[in-house]
Structures are given as C-alpha cells and as structure tokens.
Amino acid sequence: MHVLVTGAAGFIGYHLSQRLLDDGHTVVGIDNCNDYYDVQLKKDRLARLEGRPGFRFQLLDLAQTDAMLALFAAEGFSHVVNLAAQAGVRYSLINPASYIQANLVGFGNVLEGCRHHGVQHLVFASSSSVYGLNAAQPYSEHHPVNHPVSLYAATKKSNELMAHAYAHLYGLPCTGLRFFTVYGPWGRPDMALQLFAHAIMRGEAIKVFNEGRMRRDFTYIDDIVEGVVRLLDHPAQPDPGWDASSPDPATSCAPWRIYNIGNNQTVELNDFIAALEEALGKKAIRELLPMQPGDVKATWADIDDLTAATGFAPVTPLREGMARFVRWFKEYYRYA
C-alpha cells in the first residue's frame, strides 16, 4: 500500500507510521506541527520516522485546500488514514474556531482528495466522545449518538456524517474508528497521564476531576494500531441487510462502517492513578475537583463488531502498558 497518514507527527500517527513501514508499505506523512502542545515532541517523533526507507514527510495543514489537492494528485495514494485533528475536549471550550478549521474544513479536503484520486479506502479517526449523553454501557456503534456534549465531539460526529455522504454519493469506502482513551509511550503531554506523571515526579498535586470516580476504557497504543492496520486492507462494504425503515447507525447501504476501538473494559480513574503510582514508585498528591464541563462520567467500548470483522482483541493489561509508558517517560524527560 501507498498510504497517506495525516497527523503523522502526532501520537497515534507516529506509531501507525512505524507499523506500516515495518509491514513494508510506503508512507507519506503530513502534519502542520502546530503549537497546541510541545512542538519538540512532534519533531522528535518525526526524527525517528524520517530516517526510515519508504517514509516521506510534508509540512502541511489539512485546511490548505490547493496544497492538499496537489498532494493527492501527485502521489496517487492507495489508502488514506486521517488522524490529523484539533484534539482535546477542554481546549474546544477556549478556541472553538480551530476545531472548525482542522476537523471540518480539513476533513472536507481529505474527502475531496480521496474522491478525485481513486483512493481505495479512507480510514478516519472518530472518538468515543461522540457518545455524549448516551448512558447505555458499554457503548455500541449501533446506539444513536445524537447528543454530543463538546464541540470536539460534535466535529467528530460531523466527520462520520460527511464520510457517509461521500460513500453514498461517490462509492468511496470509508471506515470511521471511535478511539477510546489511548495511552502509551510518545503520548500527548496535554493528556491526563503525562500531566499526572510530571506532577507526581515533581511532588506537585494532580487535579483529579469528579474526585477520581470517572471511568475510562484506557487503550494501549499498540492495540489501537493493531486494530487500524487490520481494518485498513479491508475496505468498508455496503451492508446487504441494512434497512432504511429501521436504520442501523453503524452500517449503511453505502460502503461505510463505524467501529469502536477500545480495551473492552472500564477502569476507574483512581485505579488508573494507582497503577501510575506503582510504575513511578511515587505517591500522588491528589486535588479532588468536580466534573469538568464537556466531560462524561464513563466510557466503555463494545468491540464485538471489530472482533468479528478482524479477529482483533486488545492484549495489553493496564499495568504492563503503564510500565512501558513510564520507562519511556523517565528516559525522554530525564527523570532519575
């Protein structure tokens, strides 16, 4: 495969690019390397990719329409994985315009490039945040997701709808992946795991929202990548049993599918912190706070459809994943 990976300097994009190269594919990575979080971390990820045969990088923003269409015309990608986005639930409360540009305008340019240049399969990142006010657990792709509680979640739901329209109108196979709280080495420094780890190592208090009673389906990065890779070479197909009078939200008469990718179990935040304390060998000072606007109390992925389609099941226990993260964290940030 000749694969475009958008957001290649990001956490998931970096790991996916490494895996695709390991498997013998060629990869063109793009990223705008914005300063939403530490740009040096993005540069360090890219440095590990750019020396590898089969990888090329281009500094490019998805919202640059002409440049995006030129890239598609020049490269003739067989497959596209769209991971570039303005991430973060809480930041969407502060800078909503960045989500419109990156997640809506940018994704529209990806769809147009795929449509006009014969891409065999578009796989794109959605998010568990689309489940919003849906209280049914575990979250199933077959549940409606019509009540997002953040602009970030609303843009991800919009991506799913935009992709469906292109699948229906142009026969473009599209697969959306709802990621559940990804963690591991080279992770984002704005996410709770790194914020907690730095604070614990410095003897500072960590901010624990909802007094640590929130539950999350924490998913190790290698398990996420495995799920993406297994789906990439299996383009979405129309569902022959799809019924317009009782429409299934996860499938369609168009070549479009939605899958959860998670660990298929839910862990209380307090237990997650305890696993981090164990791996670091230090106790946290906890500042207990109420729920943050835009957050949900629990996430839990039903991955039955993904397992049926690909044989995928996560294999990394929380404590093992946490230990791997801490080894990288202490080495990268030079903690003794």
Side-chain angles (χ1 to χ4, degrees), residues 78 93 114 134 149 169 194 213 225 239 247 255 261 283 322:
S78 63
L93 304 175
C114 292
N134 186 342
V149 294
L169 290 170
Q194 276 217 39
R213 293 193 298 271
V225 167
D239 179 359
I261 296 193
K283 284 288 185 180
M322 192 68 79

Side-chain angles (χ1 to χ4, degrees), residues 16-311:
L16 177 65
S17 296
Q18 292 279 27
R19 171 63 185 274
L20 290 171
L21 294 168
D22 289 345
D23 290 349
H25 306 297
T26 56
V27 176
V28 173
I30 66 171
D31 203 295
N32 67 3
C33 292
N34 66 31
D35 61 358
Y36 168 65
Y37 65 79
D38 181 17
V39 176
Q40 189 59 51
L41 178 60
K42 299 178 182 182
K43 291 179 178 179
D44 290 342
R45 293 180 186 131
L46 284 174
R48 295 169 63 90
L49 288 169
E50 288 188 298
R52 298 199 57 179
F55 181 83
R56 285 181 292 113
F57 176 73
Q58 186 168 336
L59 185 67
L60 183 60
D61 192 309
L62 292 190
Q64 295 174 289
T65 301
D66 291 344
M68 285 291 293
L69 294 180
L71 175 70
F72 273 91
E75 290 291 344
F77 299 113
S78 63
H79 296 72
V80 174
V81 183
N82 184 63
L83 300 171
Q86 179 56 62
V89 169
R90 290 167 192 154
Y91 188 61
S92 68
L93 304 175
I94 302 167
N95 188 4
S98 64
Y99 291 76
I100 303 300
Q101 280 297 109
N103 300 4
L104 299 182
V105 175
F107 188 61
N109 288 336
V110 170
L111 288 167
E112 278 290 280
C114 292
R115 168 197 171 192
H116 288 293
H117 296 286
V119 169
Q120 299 170 29
H121 192 194
L122 167 62
V123 175
F124 64 95
S126 185
S127 168
S128 61
S129 67
V130 302
Y131 287 102
L133 293 177
N134 186 342
Q137 297 270 338
Y139 289 150
S140 168
E141 306 95 327
H142 304 285
H143 295 160
V145 287
N146 299 321
H147 299 90
V149 294
S150 69
L151 179 63
Y152 170 69
T155 63
K156 288 300 186 178
K157 170 64 174 173
S158 299
N159 288 171
E160 296 179 3
L161 298 175
M162 293 163 71
H164 183 269
Y166 271 69
H168 175 73
L169 290 170
Y170 309 115
L172 172 65
C174 295
T175 299
L177 306 178
R178 294 174 179 166
F179 295 137
F180 281 69
T181 317
V182 190
Y183 75 99
W186 297 96
R188 282 173 26 209
D190 63 305
M191 295 189 72
L193 179 56
Q194 276 217 39
L195 295 174
F196 289 168
H198 281 296
I200 293 170
M201 293 303 294
R202 294 168 182 162
E204 300 167 355
I206 64 173
K207 294 182 178 180
V208 183
F209 292 101
N210 197 34
E211 300 183 346
R213 293 193 298 271
M214 291 186 296
R215 302 187 70 89
R216 292 291 182 266
D217 194 323
F218 295 102
T219 315
Y220 188 67
I221 182 61
D222 290 358
D223 292 328
I224 288 283
V225 167
E226 181 67 28
V228 175
V229 167
R230 292 194 189 197
L231 281 169
L232 188 57
D233 199 28
H234 291 80
Q237 301 291 327
D239 179 359
W242 194 81
D243 181 0
S245 65
S246 180
D248 178 357
T251 69
S252 176
C253 57
W256 175 91
R257 287 298 303 265
I258 297 294
Y259 292 101
N260 291 332
I261 296 193
N263 200 42
N264 196 214
Q265 57 182 290
T266 184
V267 174
E268 187 173 273
L269 182 58
N270 285 319
D271 295 332
F272 185 74
I273 294 169
L276 175 59
E277 290 172 326
E278 180 182 314
L280 289 172
K282 290 192 70 174
K283 284 288 185 180
I285 304 167
R286 305 186 190 202
E287 179 185 356
L288 303 182
L289 298 169
M291 279 284 287
Q292 182 93 338
D295 271 352
V296 296
K297 289 186 177 180
T299 65
W300 179 11
D302 179 337
I303 62 168
D304 287 351
D305 282 7
L306 182 64
T307 301
T310 67

